[in-house]
């Protein structure tokens, strides 16, 4: 064993400059690790991602990039073969360094919009998976979504079946099925980043113009094929809009959606009832503070029992929530006048860019 180690180090022994370069690089890496550790130590606990969230984001990112990479590389290679650029097509399909790692090393994946979407989705999905399952009130009764899928109103039934399909695609993405379901703008960015990373794989050649053209055409094809309306979130909103629950049936629908662990449908029902965007309500359903969510439920005139059951389910699903604090706040929640509850939600209905500008100014003043 010792002999093998000496053999591996022969190059360093013969070239002292190589050892010096390695030592310098190790020192820089050590300083970077220390800086990261210091930043992590001073992070507020409520802003730190736990291991489950990190793993979910990593899995989703890897699946998204692999899906887009496979689509672009395969189609670009097909175009190159058709144009008699066989060496380029072959080079493009050879095993190569990870595109995901290249994008990460370049800092592109630090994009705030992309990470905000992935973090929100991860928290939402993990909360949904941890919700306490609740059996239907009647034995052998179908779930809420199954009932809606066979609804007498064809529009409702079609929307419910579309949500079933969207759930399958979302789960399939994580199982390696080729389907990207990012919002259109984020999909657009990721497609071009992946195309550029694929371009870097090919050594410098005289005919790289043909590769550039093929990769660009394959990227445009991916953009054209992407349908934002097929996303799980969009499908849930279409179903909520199609059903358009009345005030009297909304509480039972919300509780059934939670009991079925369909947090996306719960979120969409609330968004439809309040006139807010899906992403806004999704953020409230995963906010451990919960104040705005409780005010939303109060504004919709849910009774104490319904609010208590919703709060209990969310507290059980998210360890960051304080069940005792929620229980102690129930009297205060029910004491809020309905009009005041709606007034507290009013800022959420402002244009998002205007809200962002107000927040930026407030942050700068602080």
């Amino acid at each position: 064993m010792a002999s093998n180690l000496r053999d591996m180090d022969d190059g360093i022994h013969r070239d002292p400059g190589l050892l010096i370069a390695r030592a310098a690089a190790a020192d820089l890496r050590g300083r970077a690790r220390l800086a990261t550790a210091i930043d992590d130590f001073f992070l507020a606990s409520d802003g730190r991602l736990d291991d489950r969230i990190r793993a979910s984001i990593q899995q989703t990112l890897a699946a998204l990039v692999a899906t887009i990479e496979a689509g672009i590389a395969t189609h670009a290679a097909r175009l190159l073969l058709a144009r008699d650029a066989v060496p380029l097509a072959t080079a493009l399909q050879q095993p190569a360094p990870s595109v995901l790692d290249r994008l990460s090393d370049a800092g592109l994946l630090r994009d705030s919009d992309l990470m905000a979407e992935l973090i929100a989705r991860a928290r939402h999905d993990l909360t949904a998976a941890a919700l306490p399952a609740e059996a239907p009130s009647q034995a052998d009764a179908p779930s809420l979504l199954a009932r809606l899928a066979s609804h007498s109103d064809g529009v409702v039934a079609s929307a419910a079946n579309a949500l079933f399909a969207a759930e399958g695609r979302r789960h399939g993405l994580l199982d390696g099925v080729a389907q990207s379901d990012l919002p259109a703008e984020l999909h657009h960015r990721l497609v071009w980043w992946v195309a550029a990373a694929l371009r870097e794989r090919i050594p410098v050649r005289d005919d790289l113009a043909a590769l550039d053209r093929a990769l660009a055409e394959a990227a445009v094809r991916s953009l054209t094929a992407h349908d934002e309306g097929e996303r799980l979130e969009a499908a849930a909103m279409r179903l909520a809009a199609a059903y358009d629950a009345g005030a009297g049936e909304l509480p039972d629908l919300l509780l059934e959606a939670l009991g079925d662990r369909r947090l996306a449908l719960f979120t969409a029902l609330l968004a439809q009832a309040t006139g807010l965007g899906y992403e806004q309500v999704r953020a409230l359903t995963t906010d451990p503070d919960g104040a705005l969510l409780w005010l939303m439920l109060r504004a919709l005139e849910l009774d104490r029992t319904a609010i208590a059951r919703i709060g209990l389910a969310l507290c059980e699903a998210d360890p960051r929530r304080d069940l005792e604090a929620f229980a102690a706040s129930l009297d205060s929640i029910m004491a809020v006048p309905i009009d005041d509850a709606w007034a507290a939600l009013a800022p959420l209905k402002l244009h998002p860019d205007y809200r962002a500008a107000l927040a930026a100014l407030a942050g700068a003043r602080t």
Side-chain angles (χ1 to χ4, degrees), residues 195-273:
L198 288 171
R199 165 66 160 74
E200 283 190 347
R201 286 182 174 180
I202 310 302
V204 176
R205 303 168 59 104
D206 294 335
D207 53 354
L208 281 182
L211 175 64
D212 288 332
R213 187 166 62 254
L215 286 172
E217 290 179 22
V220 170
R221 175 177 176 267
S222 177
L223 297 177
T224 303
H226 183 69
D227 185 353
E228 189 175 28
E230 292 185 350
R231 298 178 64 234
L232 174 63
E233 294 80 3
M237 282 302 298
R238 284 199 302 274
L239 175 55
Y243 191 85
D244 196 18
E249 56 188 338
L250 182 61
D252 288 339
L253 290 174
L254 291 172
L255 289 168
E256 277 198 83
L258 287 183
D260 290 344
R261 293 178 173 170
R262 285 195 157 90
L263 192 57
L265 181 54
F266 172 87
T267 302
L269 289 168
L270 280 179
Q272 173 68 18

Side-chain angles (χ1 to χ4, degrees), residues 113-130:
D113 293 333
L114 175 63
M115 291 308 299
E117 172 65 23
L118 294 179
I119 291 170
R121 182 192 295 188
R123 285 182 170 149
H124 194 265
D125 291 349
L126 288 171
T127 300

Side-chain angles (χ1 to χ4, degrees), residues 138-348:
Q138 297 181 357
D140 300 326
S143 69
L144 172 61
L145 190 55
R147 293 203 313 275
L148 294 178
S150 58
H151 199 279
S152 58
D153 185 328
V155 175
V156 172
S158 176
N161 280 292
L163 181 54
F164 267 128
E167 289 178 340
R169 286 190 296 271
R170 175 65 56 84
H171 295 148
L173 172 66
L174 299 183
D175 292 335
V177 177
Q179 178 72 39
S180 168
D181 65 346
L182 284 172
E185 183 177 351
L186 297 181
H187 178 77
H188 186 278
R189 294 180 204 175
L190 200 54
V191 162
W192 289 116
W193 292 342
V194 169
L198 288 171
R199 165 66 160 74
E200 283 190 347
R201 286 182 174 180
I202 310 302
V204 176
R205 303 168 59 104
D206 294 335
D207 53 354
L208 281 182
L211 175 64
D212 288 332
R213 187 166 62 254
L215 286 172
E217 290 179 22
V220 170
R221 175 177 176 267
S222 177
L223 297 177
T224 303
H226 183 69
D227 185 353
E228 189 175 28
E230 292 185 350
R231 298 178 64 234
L232 174 63
E233 294 80 3
M237 282 302 298
R238 284 199 302 274
L239 175 55
Y243 191 85
D244 196 18
E249 56 188 338
L250 182 61
D252 288 339
L253 290 174
L254 291 172
L255 289 168
E256 277 198 83
L258 287 183
D260 290 344
R261 293 178 173 170
R262 285 195 157 90
L263 192 57
L265 181 54
F266 172 87
T267 302
L269 289 168
L270 280 179
Q272 173 68 18
T274 57
L276 296 174
Y278 181 95
E279 289 76 13
Q280 290 176 296
V281 179
R282 179 178 63 183
L284 299 185
T285 61
T286 56
D287 179 3
D289 177 71
L292 279 171
L293 178 60
W294 313 141
L295 286 174
M296 180 183 298
L297 299 178
R298 177 61 180 154
L300 294 171
E301 301 186 48
L302 270 68
D303 62 27
R304 183 188 183 95
T305 300
I307 294 177
R309 289 178 62 189
I310 290 171
L312 174 61
L314 292 175
C315 286
E316 288 188 19
D318 188 345
R320 299 174 304 158
R321 292 183 182 271
D322 188 333
L323 178 57
E324 291 185 2
F326 166 69
S329 68
L330 266 175
D331 288 337
S332 297
I333 294 170
M334 299 310 297
V336 176
I338 301 299
D339 289 344
D340 289 354
W342 279 114
L345 298 176
L348 297 178

